[in-house]
Amino acid sequence: MAATSSAGAGVFRPAERIANLPPYLFAEADRQIAAKRAAGFDVVSLGIGDPDLPTPRWILDELHRTAEVPENHRYPDYYGLAELRRAIASWYEGRFGVALHPDREVVPLIGSKEGIAHIPFAFINPGDVALVPDPSYPVYAIGTMLAGGEPYMMPIVPSNGFLPDLDSIPAPILARAKLLWINYPNNPTSAIAPEGFFERVVEFAARHGLLVCHDNAYSDVTYDGYRPKSFLQVPGAKEVGVEFHSLSKSYNMTGWRIGMMVGNASVVSAVGRVKTNIDSGIFQAVQYAGIAALTGDQEWMAERNAIYQRRRDLVISTLREIGIEAPVPKASLYIWAPVPSGQTSLSFSLKLLDELAVWVTPGVGFGPSGEGFFRISLTTPDSRLEEAMRRLRTGKL
Ligand code: MLT
């Protein structure tokens, strides 16, 4: 029998769960940039946080070596190679002093985005609430919506140091809330967690029975000697939460798709149950390369971060020259800056694209409280970033 459509011949009506789903922020940005390029403009994109600097040589060598091994072309182990889980656990011990059981408290992910999108399937029932910072990485809210839950947006704005005001969450929302998302160093605002903040989150989560999901993807992109902590360093954190991490930003490996979730054993087990039913793990050669990344010399990061820091300083000083005062970040890949008065975040982004062929991400793309801001990513090669800054300074193409 021929397939029939409820929305017209050859067109299938999507399920309710995706009917109201917005296009993914960075996919939409790519569309805008491609249209401008197709019109003949040399667009400099300062959009997505996608390291332009190469993955270190020894990691590539390990990928080449292990890709030659036919055994690695077969389905990977569902829970990741035991060696990878052990490497993740010892990296956490070395980097943060956090002890993890490699079999019970670690699950490798096909990039942290995958786990962030899937954890709601393990914990959110229809009608449940996830507490999500606003602005934030869009996947926290979207994963919740895909699982039938409701994101409750917690404004993070300059007046509260870009921290959620946990005490202002209404009691009826808290009664339905299951997950609490936090992310420091923060995307998109670049804010860092002040002393005592993670402790307050642990206490709050324990009091309200919340599962804390901390996204720590930017812990190794840091400036001026700053060393971010892991949420799991705080006493009691493992009882209430997990941490997502990724090799993407730390090791310049965004395209490789390798990350991890670590912490509370019951959460690791539940997410593992979801994942084993819907994916088949990370290509094994990538897992071996990931082990090389985590266990190899980490000193190279200082030089990489010095490059980002120079870019940070260039952007901050250029913005200052054109009358925009942005906080100087101590970590992450982003400058979060206020748009000039009279503009919205979208009108300003589109104006820069239109008039200067420079793309910056409109703050509102990260949530309603991102209105009034734009984000510049530092992951554009020096010469292109300099060109973008020249255009901003002179207002000319
Ligand atoms: C960003 O630009 O916000 C991130 O790079 C996107 C991502 O990590 O998927």
Side-chain angles (χ1 to χ4, degrees):
M1 196 162 97
T4 53
S5 134
S6 48
V11 180
F12 292 88
R13 196 191 304 281
E16 300 291 324
R17 79 174 65 82
I18 71 157
N20 295 323
L21 213 58
Y24 186 56
L25 175 62
F26 296 106
E28 182 54 21
D30 281 354
R31 216 181 49 76
Q32 301 268 5
I33 294 165
K36 187 77 179 171
R37 285 192 177 136
F41 290 89
D42 170 30
V43 179
V44 185
S45 173
L46 308 178
I48 194 163
D50 186 4
D52 58 304
L53 299 162
T55 307
R57 167 52 48 197
W58 63 92
I59 304 175
L60 289 171
D61 288 346
E62 184 64 355
L63 176 76
H64 291 154
R65 190 185 71 74
T66 52
E68 292 292 342
V69 179
E71 212 176 280
N72 291 334
H73 304 169
R74 309 190 73 188
Y75 285 123
D77 188 292
Y78 281 106
Y79 291 97
L81 291 164
E83 297 101 294
L84 175 60
R85 284 185 273 109
R86 282 199 295 272
I88 291 170
S90 43
W91 184 82
Y92 253 84
E93 177 81 60
R95 171 69 183 80
F96 299 115
V98 169
L100 296 168
H101 192 292
D103 299 334
R104 292 200 302 272
E105 296 177 331
V106 174
V107 61
L109 301 171
I110 309 172
S112 61
K113 182 180 187 181
E114 177 261 300
I116 289 168
H118 281 145
I119 193 170
F121 287 93
F123 292 99
I124 292 282
N125 285 316
D128 286 347
V129 166
L131 305 170
V132 174
D134 165 28
S136 63
Y137 184 47
V139 190
Y140 309 146
I142 287 173
T144 304
M145 286 154 67
L146 282 173
E150 261 174 59
Y152 173 82
M153 305 309 275
M154 307 177 290
I156 58 167
V157 290
S159 58
N160 56 18
F162 297 109
L163 301 174
D165 178 3
L166 299 173
D167 296 327
S168 73
I169 301 167
I173 294 288
L174 266 178
R176 290 197 289 134
K178 289 273 183 65
L179 304 186
L180 167 60
W181 283 100
I182 52 170
N183 160 226
Y184 296 94
N186 185 257
N187 175 20
T189 70
S190 287
I192 56 174
E195 272 310 309
F197 174 68
F198 288 154
E199 284 81 351
R200 279 210 304 287
V201 170
V202 168
E203 185 278 319
F204 184 83
R207 187 149 40 94
H208 296 285
L210 297 168
L211 162 54
V212 178
C213 300
H214 180 233
D215 181 357
N216 202 8
Y218 297 93
S219 74
D220 292 292
V221 181
T222 63
Y223 314 118
D224 306 322
Y226 175 62
R227 291 286 279 172
K229 280 188 177 164
S230 162
F231 172 69
L232 298 174
Q233 280 173 252
V234 170
K238 233 194 249 181
E239 276 78 71
V240 299
V242 288
E243 184 158 276
F244 290 84
H245 215 304
S246 167
L247 276 65
S248 289
K249 313 291 168 24
S250 297
Y251 296 93
N252 305 342
M253 291 174 73
T254 44
W256 299 55
R257 311 315 304 141
I258 177 164
M260 58 271 206
M261 189 192 81
V262 302
N264 186 282
S266 70
V267 180
V268 165
S269 159
V271 170
R273 208 170 335 145
V274 172
K275 279 177 56 56
T276 47
N277 278 288
I278 58 180
D279 73 50
S280 300
I282 307 161
F283 175 35
Q284 217 146 272
V286 170
Q287 295 193 47
Y288 283 113
I291 296 169
L294 294 167
T295 57
D297 183 6
Q298 311 288 305
E299 292 304 310
W300 69 276
M301 282 185 197
E303 204 177 311
R304 186 268 317 270
N305 289 347
I307 296 173
Y308 286 142
Q309 186 167 322
R310 280 199 299 277
R311 293 178 184 176
R312 174 199 73 170
D313 294 344
L314 170 68
V315 172
I316 292 284
S317 63
T318 306
L319 291 178
R320 207 166 274 159
E321 270 179 59
I322 62 169
I324 297 175
E325 241 357 277
V328 183
K330 287 214 170 307
S332 95
L333 294 169
Y334 311 113
I335 307 294
W336 184 245
V339 299
S341 65
Q343 300 277 349
T344 66
S345 69
L346 192 58
S347 73
F348 185 63
S349 267
L350 293 176
K351 183 178 159 70
L352 292 189
L353 183 63
D354 230 39
E355 296 176 10
L356 304 179
V358 171
W359 175 257
V360 300
T361 309
V364 76
F366 298 96
S369 300
E371 185 48 86
F373 293 89
F374 65 100
R375 194 192 77 171
I376 285 180
S377 163
L378 302 174
T379 57
T380 301
D382 290 349
S383 61
R384 299 295 287 159
L385 186 67
E386 282 157 16
E387 168 61 16
M389 294 304 109
R390 189 191 64 75
R391 291 182 197 174
L392 283 183
R393 257 187 263 109
T394 60
K396 290 200 197 92
L397 270 178

